[in-house]
Amino acid sequence: MNPTVATDAAASVLGKLSLLDRFLPLWIGITMAVGLLLGHLVPGLNIALDEAQVDGVSLPIALGLLIMMYPVLAKVRYDRLDTVTGDRKLLSSSLALNWVLGPALMFALAWLLLPDLPEYRTGLIIIGLARCIAMVIIWNDLACGDREAAAVLVALNSVFQVVMFAFLGWFYLSVLPRWLGLAQTTISTSPWQIAKSVLIFLGIPLLAGYLSRRLGEKARGRDWYETRFLPKIGPWALYGLLFTIVILFALQGDQITHHPLNVVRIALPLLAYFAIMWGGGYALGALLGLGYQRTTTLAFTAAGNNFELAIAVAIATYGATSGQALAGVVGPLIEVPVLVALVYVSLAVRPRFADQAPSSTAAPDRSTP
């Protein structure tokens, strides 16, 4: 494709974004700064936020994630999920990226770049084991990925997370280091702790989204649901995202601002990880001819991580003030701006997929973010 035509097409896509979408990096930067300042300047705020929990689940974070995920999952056309479950190339590629490449890559980067910082190294390995089931939904939607594919892949990751997390934690923190003659450690977690995270952060908004579409279309019809109801609830996805970012950064703002050099050391392997996983997902999707939407979904589901679970496991095992917990907190500090930038990279390269047959239905309507 002619580079000028591709640039014009990308500009056209970006021009159709709402004001909230178009300046999303600015709003996210502001909310990150607000959260850090609140956590640093308001005495006891992080303690108060941390204590607002039930059975180990942070209520403010849970509220933000539920508000963020519900509008996107309400947009999914659940009657089309069979077109995704039959796509073996997509499903097998996602499983390989998330459960073979992802943990192995984070293990290698953590040992390569943090050989002298065992606490941070362990925290990063735990992050690599926690595959994303929450924020990836909104990154995929902003990049005009396949919503139905995202719903299926996130559900698949959730099942594997419950089944595989503890086993992979044992393997990458104890077994593999012993084989390689490296220092060993362990994690303390249970299938119920992981299942609880999945049920709250994915199960509730997924059920609410499904019921909204099913009951809304039955009562008022699909046209009303998609042209009247979805535009009203659409912006709340980004409101929930911004609220969640403020809470996450306020919780650990004091630690982050007091350990800037440690944050930089932790950031380096994370940056490499996100770039390799996202780029690898895009390259694989393009090689398999999945089309823009499903290639985008494959890339973002591979690059994202479940930081809520990683932080919870690190705190339960090593304590709230541990280096492992700090590594978990630094995760979203790096992931959020990087994946927002990759949303715009995706939109910019979208015209290059124009000559491929689409793997699913028409692109999402960006008028309902």
Side-chain angles (χ1 to χ4, degrees):
M1 178 176 286
N2 186 300
T4 303
V5 175
T7 301
D8 291 343
S12 175
V13 171
L14 294 174
K16 293 178 181 178
L17 298 177
S18 69
L19 183 66
L20 188 62
D21 277 340
R22 197 177 307 166
F23 295 101
L24 183 60
L26 174 62
W27 312 137
I28 286 179
I30 292 173
T31 53
M32 289 170 63
V34 168
L36 289 172
L37 287 173
L38 287 174
H40 180 64
L41 299 176
V42 179
L45 177 62
N46 59 332
I47 298 175
L49 289 172
D50 189 52
E51 290 178 346
Q53 58 177 265
V54 174
D55 195 21
V57 176
S58 169
L59 294 181
I61 292 178
L63 176 63
L65 289 174
L66 295 178
I67 294 173
M68 176 187 75
M69 294 178 67
Y70 165 68
V72 180
L73 291 171
K75 296 175 186 177
V76 172
R77 292 189 175 181
Y78 293 90
D79 55 348
R80 295 178 179 171
L81 294 185
D82 59 337
T83 67
V84 180
T85 56
D87 191 338
R88 293 185 179 181
K89 291 191 293 185
L90 175 66
L91 297 182
S92 59
S93 299
S94 179
L95 286 175
L97 287 170
N98 277 284
W99 296 102
V100 179
L101 178 61
L105 176 63
M106 189 68 90
F107 175 86
L109 289 171
W111 273 101
L112 180 65
L113 298 177
L114 299 175
D116 58 327
L117 297 172
E119 290 189 357
Y120 300 150
R121 184 178 65 234
T122 299
L124 287 179
I125 293 172
I126 293 172
I127 290 172
L129 303 177
R131 313 313 301 167
C132 194
I133 62 171
M135 282 191 177
V136 70
I137 294 286
I138 198 166
W139 305 137
N140 175 76
D141 204 52
L142 289 169
C144 297
D146 187 318
R147 288 180 186 139
E148 287 69 38
V152 170
L153 295 185
V154 164
L156 192 62
N157 275 342
S158 300
V159 173
F160 268 76
Q161 196 154 124
V162 174
V163 175
M164 298 295 293
F165 186 91
F167 169 78
L168 289 175
W170 168 72
F171 177 77
Y172 280 104
L173 293 174
S174 181
V175 177
L176 186 56
R178 184 174 69 249
W179 289 351
L180 299 175
L182 303 172
Q184 303 170 49
T185 185
T186 58
I187 58 172
S188 175
T189 187
S190 67
W192 165 240
Q193 182 183 11
I194 302 165
K196 180 175 62 178
S197 172
V198 169
L199 289 171
I200 293 173
F201 297 128
L202 177 63
I204 293 175
L206 184 62
L207 178 62
Y210 172 77
L211 291 177
S212 292
R213 180 171 282 278
R214 190 71 181 266
L215 299 177
E217 288 187 356
K218 185 176 181 179
R220 306 291 294 273
R222 175 163 290 186
D223 182 67
W224 172 86
Y225 183 83
E226 296 197 345
T227 62
R228 301 289 297 276
F229 179 72
L230 290 182
K232 288 183 179 179
I233 67 169
W236 282 93
L238 295 185
Y239 299 154
L241 171 66
L242 298 177
F243 174 79
T244 303
I245 290 171
V246 170
I247 298 300
L248 278 172
F249 284 67
L251 274 168
Q252 299 291 339
D254 192 56
Q255 278 205 62
I256 292 172
T257 54
H258 277 89
H259 302 89
L261 293 181
N262 291 345
V263 170
V264 173
R265 289 289 304 275
I266 297 169
L268 293 177
L270 284 170
L271 286 170
Y273 173 84
F274 293 133
I276 294 171
M277 291 299 293
W278 186 89
Y282 240 89
L284 183 58
L287 181 66
L288 295 175
L290 296 180
Y292 173 78
Q293 289 181 264
R294 290 191 176 174
T295 295
T296 297
T297 300
L298 180 65
F300 278 100
T301 51
N305 292 87
N306 185 352
F307 287 105
E308 298 78 31
L309 175 60
I311 293 170
V313 170
I315 290 175
T317 306
Y318 305 103
T321 60
S322 65
Q324 291 88 343
L326 178 61
V329 170
V330 173
L333 174 70
I334 307 304
E335 183 190 58
V336 169
V338 169
L339 292 192
V340 168
L342 291 175
V343 166
Y344 285 84
V345 173
S346 295
L347 294 173
V349 302
R350 185 181 183 185
R352 298 182 182 274
F353 286 80
D355 58 344
Q356 293 191 31
S359 297
S360 61
T361 55
D365 178 6
R366 297 305 307 146
S367 63
T368 57

